[in-house]
């Protein structure tokens, strides 16, 4: 109906997705093609399959809607996405939100070699695909001796040391706020204890003054 031929059952769905209207056919030619859809039940099923907008419920209304769609296909917006498709979009959005934080993980000796060898293979074989380049580098790595691998193993060790140092620094930076808060709480407790001691001292002074005043009064009365 859409392409003027039966087509294979294996690629019908993909062809329908690519469909962008009949090419090189007039409106009358498309109407003739649609008129072959009989009985009315078959025409109705095709209209529903393409999700065409019909102005009425008669055979003529359905035929006109299908002709219009075949000449210029447009989505009706009536089709609802299934729960499975919604679930897929949600999981995709969740995956996209995940951002790797912290220090970059260290590379192995092979990946350090791959970084260097990949560019050389690309220059020598520009026609190679990414997988072919990787396969070529992998076969070369397997054939290398232990002495030839040593420089890349050294790079891997340095990269591992860098990662561990960065990870350690990150842990220390996370602990820092808690230590500062504890020190501030300690200083607050010290200041509060000092103020209590000052209050006690002032109370002692006032008591001594009162005693001295009483003693003077007693002497005068005598």
């Amino acid at each position: 109906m859409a392409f003027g031929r039966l087509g294979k059952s294996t690629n019908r769905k993909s062809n329908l997705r690519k469909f962008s209207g009949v090419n090189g056919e007039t409106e009358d030619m498309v109407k003739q093609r649609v008129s072959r859809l009989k009985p009315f039940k078959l025409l109705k099923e095709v209209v529903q399959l393409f999700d065409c907008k019909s102005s009425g419920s008669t055979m003529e209304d359905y035929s006109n809607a299908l002709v219009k769609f075949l000449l210029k296909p447009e989505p009706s917006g009536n089709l609802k996405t299934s729960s499975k498709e919604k679930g897929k979009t949600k999981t995709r959005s969740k995956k996209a939100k995940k951002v790797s934080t912290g220090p970059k993980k260290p590379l192995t000796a092979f990946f350090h070699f791959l970084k260097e060898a990949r560019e050389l293979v690309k220059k020598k074989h520009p026609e190679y695909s990414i997988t072919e380049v990787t396969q070529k580098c992998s076969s070369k790595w397997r054939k290398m001796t232990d002495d030839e691998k040593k420089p890349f193993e050294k790079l891997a060790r340095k990269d591992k040391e860098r990662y561990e140092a960065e990870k350690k620094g990150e842990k220390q930076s996370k602990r820092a706020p808690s230590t500062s808060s504890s020190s501030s709480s300690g200083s607050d407790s010290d200041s509060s204890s000092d103020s209590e001691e000052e209050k006690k001292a002032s109370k002692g002074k006032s008591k001594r003054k009162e005693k001295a005043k009483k003693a003077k009064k007693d002497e005068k009365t005598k």
Side-chain angles (χ1 to χ4, degrees), residues 59-183:
M59 191 168 185
E60 191 180 352
D61 293 328
Y62 278 102
S63 297
N64 291 334
L66 186 56
V67 169
K68 190 181 176 182
F69 175 80
L70 292 170
L71 289 167
K72 192 180 178 182
E74 290 178 353
S76 66
N78 295 328
L79 288 175
K80 293 178 180 179
T81 53
S82 63
S83 57
K84 285 183 179 179
E85 287 176 345
K86 283 180 181 178
K88 282 180 183 177
T89 52
K90 280 180 182 179
T91 50
R92 279 174 191 166
S93 61
K94 281 179 182 178
K95 285 179 182 177
K97 282 178 184 177
K98 284 185 179 179
V99 181
S100 58
T101 54
K104 192 180 177 182
K105 288 187 177 181
L107 297 174
T108 59
F110 169 70
F111 280 103
H112 279 288
F113 161 76
L114 190 64
K115 278 170 73 178
E116 189 179 299
R118 195 188 284 136
E119 298 302 321
L120 296 169
V121 174
K122 277 182 183 178
K123 283 180 183 178
K124 200 174 181 181
H125 303 280
E127 73 282 0
Y128 277 13
S129 64
I130 296 166
T131 50
E132 285 174 329
V133 170
T134 310
Q135 284 171 358
K136 188 83 174 173
C137 294
S138 300
S139 62
K140 192 180 178 182
W141 175 259
R142 286 193 291 271
K143 290 172 186 176
M144 284 170 67
T145 60
D146 292 338
D147 289 332
E148 287 173 330
K149 288 179 182 179
K150 273 182 181 179
F152 303 104
E153 286 169 355
K154 191 178 180 181
L155 286 169
R157 282 195 297 272
K158 281 185 178 179
D159 202 16
K160 193 178 179 181
E161 286 170 6
R162 183 267 316 158
Y163 172 74
E164 286 174 354
E166 285 179 9
K167 205 172 181 182
K168 194 177 179 181
E170 192 182 27
K171 282 181 181 178
Q172 286 175 350
S173 63
K174 282 179 181 178
R175 287 174 188 170
S178 60
T179 53
S180 62
S181 62
S182 62
S183 63

